[in-house]
Amino acid sequence: MVEQTQPFTRTHSIDTSTDVPLDDVFEALADERRRLILRRLREGDPPVSTGRLARELADDGEAAGSKRELETGLHHRDLPKLDDAGVVTYDPESKLVVDCRVEATEPYLDTAERMER
């Protein structure tokens, strides 16, 4: 029998400068709407309001639902999930994405985008 010298863990960081666990990145990218959000955030600098993000997603037809439905989903589900994963910093009181670490997801986000075409 071979002994392991170090325990196996699935929470290795992608990049030491971002320190976002790999499992959290995959969980964040598992949802299509969250991938769309991250692509949007990659294009601009925070802070970004949930209203603006919902409007851009609705206007471009990228995400299903009305602007109001999108904004509600962003506030209650998607942005808190991305915040929990450490990919964004979301302030629910002001409804602002105040920081974004999309670079932690870049290689996986790019791969998902190629596969979705």
Side-chain angles (χ1 to χ4, degrees), residues 15-89:
D15 177 341
T16 57
S17 66
T18 59
D19 201 31
V20 177
L22 185 58
D23 285 351
D24 292 344
V25 170
F26 283 134
E27 187 172 343
L29 295 177
D31 183 80
E32 181 182 15
R33 183 181 295 169
R34 289 193 298 268
R35 291 191 302 273
L36 292 170
I37 293 164
L38 291 172
R39 288 182 190 124
R40 267 297 160 189
L41 293 173
R42 177 168 54 181
E43 297 170 3
D45 291 324
V48 179
S49 71
T50 56
R52 178 177 149 202
L53 199 50
R55 186 174 48 256
E56 289 177 2
L57 292 170
D59 289 349
D60 290 345
E62 291 179 316
S66 69
K67 179 195 169 288
R68 185 176 184 91
E69 291 168 335
L70 288 170
E71 189 170 358
T72 299
L74 290 170
H75 176 69
H76 289 288
R77 185 188 64 174
D78 299 308
L79 293 172
K81 184 72 134 178
L82 291 171
D83 186 271
D84 288 346
V87 180
V88 303
T89 301

